């Protein structure tokens, strides 16, 4: 959801704010806006435009006054359509206070009615505008102290928010706050930054500070003060960002997604380093695993598909029952959960609101939480009893690829760890699976070397209205992931089915020329045969079948050959051609690959 950036320092603010917005545009791209402070007493300089950041940048060609402090916002609309007026920043009625916001203010209607009754005049349809009016009054009550005003206002808000505010009378100061929505501080030399994530300021500093729930941060070029809502000063929690600016750039690839597909071997290798012979106690010390009797995996979208694969591995290797739940459904059905339940939230961003809320529900009912996350310092790992970080590096394209690959690896590592703790795995098996895991990066490289013909082939189906994906066992979640990728990127109807379900309804969708992707690596002879029959069945009804397999599939129309690996590890290899199909289809249909319509990378609202 919306991207937020703030800069105050010795340099001109415009360049770092724009650079930050460019790097955060993956979070939302319905509209963008900037507010800059000038000298004390001069009015704020504000520009905002509906549409992508490029629209805003075009207006800046007409000249921008020099400023050393400013805030910028890129929006994913929730309340109020993507118009110039609804774009952030929003101003108070004096035009002196500017505010940007990510999240949803749930009590904005009652606040708005009360503020209008007091004479405040609203311009937009957003929930955010209530906050700027409230903040304006609170600042006056606190004699111009913006941080004190922010604390008071946050205590009045319900919902989720990251807020940044500036005031024209105090041009070097930016005040921010967060609840259930991300905000990090970048610590520079004579300059400081605030942003939704570290990629916004990574080319300027590698020093970052975490902010906790309901904390307010007040920055000037030389000072950073963090307080709770009661005004108590809190010690900074500093960490070093482990990747550099080039990791957040396209590096010669036409799109971030393509770059990220090709980064998968490294992401997998980085996630495996030091963990193949077991997870060490620095990761698992917060957990008491011996007495657990059930595992619940909670996640959304692609991460949910990684969880489905994890279920197969944990049930088989650790002998525990596993439920995989859509995080958005979990807490609302009030599921049974107790201290013997291990909950595993999976999240690339670590900020997905549905996952966070489901995890909090489970924790409040006594469950232990062992999260899988790609983003250091984010909320989900901070609130977990233990975390297994994936090392995919920054994933900028909205559609998840390398994060998925590393989430799969994390699920295998957790399944093996649980099986080991429960004494169920022999040293021979652990050695064998360890070897197979170690070979995954090289095998993904091999897949990437052979997908070129698939790019050409995919373009042939550019005008198809629908594409189906079939798989069995762990091939089924892989098929679901292939269908999700295609929907997101190609805006094409796509569905994934277990091969065996076909005859129970979906086969009616098959028509002359319908493209069907069959995920059918070998490993389980019985299932291989059954998938081969499914291929025959759809082909007999006119389907064009693209098989993804490590052996010949005579009935298929086209074959994408992938290397052989352990049956459970196959999704790591077989998903790669599916990602390439979705990528190529999006390009062929002229879609925006990295920023597909209606989506945002980090879904921080429920
Ligand atoms: C799909 C995709 C989404 C995310 C989902 C969860 O390509 O990216 O389905 O997987 O929104 O996001 P995280 O992993 O950040 O919790």
């Amino acid at each position: 959801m919306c991207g937020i950036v703030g800069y105050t320092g010795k340099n001109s603010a415009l360049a770092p704010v724009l650079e930050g917005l460019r790097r955060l545009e993956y979070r939302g791209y319905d509209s963008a806006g900037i507010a800059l402070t000038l000298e004390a007493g001069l009015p704020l300089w504000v520009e905002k435009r509906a549409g992508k950041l490029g629209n805003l940048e075009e207006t800046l060609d007409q000249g921008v006054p020099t400023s050393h402090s400013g805030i910028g916002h890129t929006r994913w609309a929730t309340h109020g359509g993507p118009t110039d007026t609804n774009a952030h920043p929003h101003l108070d009625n004096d035009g002196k206070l500017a505010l940007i916001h990510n999240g949803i203010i749930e009590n904005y209607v009652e606040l708005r009615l009360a503020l209008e009754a007091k004479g405040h005049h609203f311009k937009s349809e957003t929930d955010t505008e209530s906050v700027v009016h409230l903040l304006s009054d609170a600042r006056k009550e606190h004699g111009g102290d913006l941080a004190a005003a922010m604390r008071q206002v946050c205590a009045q808000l319900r919902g989720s928010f990251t807020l940044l505010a500036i005031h024209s009378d105090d041009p070097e100061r930016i005040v921010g706050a967060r609840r259930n929505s991300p905000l990090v501080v970048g610590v520079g030399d004579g300059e400081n930054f605030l942003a939704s994530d570290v990629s916004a300021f990574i080319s300027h500093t590698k020093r970052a500070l975490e902010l906790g729930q309901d904390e307010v941060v007040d920055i000037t070029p030389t000072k950073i003060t963090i307080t709770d809502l009661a005004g108590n000063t809190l010690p900074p929690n500093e960490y070093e960002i482990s990747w550099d600016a080039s990791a957040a750039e396209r590096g010669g690839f036409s799109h971030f997604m393509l770059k990220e597909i090709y980064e998968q071997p490294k992401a997998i290798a980085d996630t495996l380093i030091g963990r193949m012979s077991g997870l060490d106690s620095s990761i698992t010390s917060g957990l008491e695993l011996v007495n657990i009797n059930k595992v619940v995996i909670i996640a959304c979208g692609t991460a949910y598909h990684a969880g489905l694969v994890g279920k197969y591995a944990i049930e088989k290797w650790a002998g525990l029952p596993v439920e995989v739940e859509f995080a958005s459904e979990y807490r609302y059905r009030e599921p049974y959960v107790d201290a013997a339940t291990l909950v595993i939230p999976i999240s690339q961003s670590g900020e997905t609101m549905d996952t966070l809320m489901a995890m909090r529900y489970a924790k409040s009912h006594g469950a232990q939480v062992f999260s899988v996350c790609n983003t250091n310092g984010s909320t989900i790992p901070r609130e977990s009893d233990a975390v297994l970080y994936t090392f995919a590096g920054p994933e900028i394209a909205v559609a998840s690829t390398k994060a998925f690959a590393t989430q799969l690896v994390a699920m295998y590592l957790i399944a093996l760890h649980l099986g080991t703790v429960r004494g169920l795995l022999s040293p021979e098996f652990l050695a064998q699976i360890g070897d197979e895991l170690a070979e995954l990066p090289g095998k993904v490289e091999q897949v990437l070397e052979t997908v070129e013909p698939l790019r050409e082939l995919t373009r042939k189906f550019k005008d198809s209205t629908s594409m189906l994906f079939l798989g069995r066992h762990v091939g089924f979640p892989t098929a679901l992931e292939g269908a999700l990728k295609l929907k997101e990127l190609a805006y094409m109807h796509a569905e994934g089915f277990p091969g065996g379900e076909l005859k129970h309804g979906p086969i009616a969708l098959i028509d002359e020329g319908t493209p069907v992707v069959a995920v059918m690596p070998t490993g389980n002879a019985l299932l291989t045969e059954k998938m081969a029959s499914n291929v025959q069945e759809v082909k007999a009804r006119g389907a064009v079948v693209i098989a993804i397999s490590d052996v010949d599939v005579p009935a298929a129309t086209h074959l994408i050959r992938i290397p052989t690996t352990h049956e459970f590890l196959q999704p790591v290899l077989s998903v790669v051609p599916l990602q390439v199909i979705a990528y190529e289809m999006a390009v062929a249909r002229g879609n925006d690959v990295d920023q597909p319509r209606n989506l945002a990378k980090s879904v921080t609202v429920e």
Side-chain angles (χ1 to χ4, degrees):
M1 302 286 136
C2 312
I4 278 188
V5 60
Y7 171 87
T8 182
K10 56 194 176 192
N11 295 315
S12 160
L14 183 66
V17 169
L18 276 179
E19 180 191 341
L21 287 183
R22 177 62 66 209
R23 292 193 196 273
L24 293 179
E25 208 186 3
Y26 71 89
R27 299 180 66 88
Y29 29 85
D30 291 339
S31 51
I34 288 181
L36 302 171
T37 55
L38 307 179
E39 278 169 39
L42 289 181
L44 297 172
W45 184 89
V46 182
E47 196 62 73
K48 51 188 196 173
R49 281 286 178 278
K52 292 206 169 190
L53 184 57
N55 289 4
L56 175 71
E57 282 172 324
E58 276 169 24
T59 68
L60 305 181
D61 294 344
Q62 288 145 30
V64 178
T66 307
S67 160
H68 295 281
S69 181
I71 55 178
H73 187 267
T74 174
R75 179 168 186 246
W76 187 86
T78 57
H79 293 63
T83 61
D84 288 354
T85 313
N86 288 334
H88 300 212
H90 291 282
L91 299 182
D92 69 350
N93 284 159
D94 301 334
K96 292 179 140 200
L97 178 69
L99 181 88
I100 54 178
H101 166 222
N102 173 29
I104 291 181
I105 306 299
E106 285 163 6
N107 54 335
Y108 79 100
V109 175
E110 64 194 66
L111 292 173
R112 182 170 180 147
L113 292 175
L115 286 156
E116 281 175 337
K118 276 174 80 182
H120 287 270
H121 173 64
F122 280 68
K123 296 198 182 86
S124 77
E125 303 151 293
T126 64
D127 51 340
T128 308
E129 204 183 346
S130 296
V131 186
V132 74
H133 291 287
L134 208 56
L135 193 62
S136 177
D137 283 359
R139 185 181 173 278
K140 286 172 191 155
E141 278 170 41
H142 285 275
D145 183 340
L146 188 55
M150 184 66 94
R151 288 191 282 272
Q152 178 180 312
V153 165
C154 289
Q156 291 171 261
L157 301 179
R158 286 204 312 272
S160 62
F161 50 80
T162 301
L163 300 166
L164 290 193
I166 52 173
H167 195 281
S168 57
D169 290 348
D170 200 356
E172 291 196 328
R173 165 158 288 119
I174 307 177
V175 172
R178 71 168 289 262
R179 177 188 300 161
N180 294 336
S181 178
L183 179 62
V184 283
V185 187
V187 185
D189 179 12
E191 55 184 3
N192 288 312
F193 304 80
L194 292 167
S196 303
D197 79 47
V198 298
S199 63
F201 51 74
I202 183 69
S203 64
H204 301 273
T205 179
K206 291 198 165 186
R207 292 176 62 200
L209 305 183
E210 275 183 28
L211 286 181
Q213 278 292 81
D214 279 328
E215 289 181 3
V216 170
V217 58
D218 178 350
I219 66 167
T220 66
T222 52
K223 195 163 176 221
I224 298 168
T225 311
I226 300 172
T227 56
D228 61 19
L229 294 192
N232 301 306
T233 304
L234 302 171
N237 196 358
E238 183 167 334
Y239 63 98
E240 190 173 320
I241 304 160
S242 57
W243 40 271
D244 59 23
S246 66
E249 280 155 14
R250 280 212 310 264
F253 284 88
S254 44
H255 297 94
F256 275 110
M257 183 185 174
L258 195 59
K259 174 179 176 245
E260 289 162 8
I261 288 173
Y262 277 83
E263 281 173 345
Q264 290 182 108
K266 178 172 180 337
I268 294 166
D270 288 351
T271 302
L272 283 169
I273 284 175
R275 296 165 166 180
M276 265 168 303
S277 47
L279 299 181
D280 73 37
S281 58
S282 62
I283 294 173
T284 56
S285 58
L287 302 168
E288 176 49 77
L289 295 174
V290 179
N291 295 323
I292 59 165
N293 60 19
K294 184 171 91 167
V295 174
V296 178
I297 299 173
I298 46 180
C300 303
T302 288
Y304 171 82
H305 298 151
L308 288 176
V309 175
K311 172 184 167 80
Y312 286 79
I314 295 171
E315 289 192 338
K316 173 80 177 168
W317 295 339
L320 282 163
V322 182
E323 291 166 13
V324 190
E325 302 266 359
F326 285 117
S328 53
E329 288 293 314
Y330 183 65
R331 71 177 169 135
Y332 295 108
R333 68 174 178 78
E334 299 184 24
Y336 180 79
V337 53
D338 62 18
T341 309
L342 178 69
V343 167
I344 307 180
I346 309 175
S347 177
Q348 187 285 127
S349 61
E351 300 290 351
T352 300
M353 184 61 69
D354 292 307
T355 311
L356 178 63
M357 290 304 177
M359 164 186 149
R360 284 188 182 156
Y361 173 91
K363 224 181 155 188
S364 70
H365 286 74
Q368 298 184 64
V369 177
F370 187 10
S371 59
V372 170
C373 187
N374 194 44
T375 310
N376 205 313
S378 57
T379 309
I380 289 173
R382 258 210 324 268
E383 295 190 17
S384 301
D385 298 304
V387 52
L388 183 62
Y389 278 109
T390 51
F391 292 106
E395 194 178 62
I396 308 289
V398 166
S400 184
T401 53
K402 62 177 179 169
F404 178 67
T406 60
Q407 286 163 351
L408 291 173
V409 167
M411 293 319 294
Y412 302 137
L413 293 173
I414 290 177
L416 292 171
H417 182 74
L418 292 174
T420 307
V421 169
R422 292 164 62 78
L424 296 177
L425 303 175
S426 68
E428 296 73 36
F429 171 76
L430 287 169
Q432 182 220 332
I433 200 79
D435 289 348
E436 294 277 14
L437 284 168
E439 285 175 15
L440 280 178
K443 288 181 178 173
V444 174
E445 291 273 12
Q446 283 178 44
V447 181
L448 289 167
E449 279 158 20
T450 54
V451 288
E452 204 50 42
L454 186 58
R455 300 177 70 166
E456 177 79 46
L457 177 62
T458 302
R459 281 177 230 137
K460 294 199 177 131
F461 301 107
K462 167 175 156 304
D463 298 319
S464 300
T465 50
S466 172
M467 196 177 227
L468 304 184
F469 294 76
L470 303 181
R472 284 176 184 255
H473 196 263
V474 289
F476 165 52
T478 314
L480 290 177
E481 175 59 8
L484 176 62
K485 286 282 95 80
L486 197 69
K487 278 184 262 208
E488 279 180 281
L489 292 156
Y491 318 149
M492 184 190 265
H493 170 252
E495 282 192 70
F497 299 109
E501 272 296 294
L502 209 58
K503 291 190 276 294
H504 300 284
I507 200 161
L509 291 168
I510 306 289
D511 203 352
E512 199 57 41
T514 305
V516 173
V517 179
V519 180
M520 48 190 310
T522 55
N524 179 325
L526 195 61
L527 291 181
T528 309
E529 268 174 33
K530 290 198 186 300
M531 272 302 293
S533 306
N534 295 143
V535 169
Q536 296 281 9
E537 287 155 13
V538 291
K539 212 157 157 235
R541 286 159 180 84
V544 178
V545 180
I546 304 168
I548 295 168
S549 182
D550 54 335
V551 295
D552 283 341
V553 181
T557 327
H558 306 278
L559 173 69
I560 304 300
R561 197 69 177 251
I562 58 169
T564 303
T565 182
H566 186 280
E567 184 186 3
F568 282 73
L569 309 190
Q570 279 162 346
V572 180
L573 306 183
S574 45
V575 77
V576 177
L578 308 188
Q579 296 165 341
V580 172
I581 288 174
Y583 171 82
E584 214 49 56
M585 196 71 93
V587 173
R589 289 163 78 111
N591 295 351
D592 188 332
V593 173
D594 286 334
Q595 296 171 350
R597 69 183 180 198
N598 305 338
L599 298 176
K601 179 88 185 149
S602 182
V603 185
T604 52
V605 293
E606 271 190 280

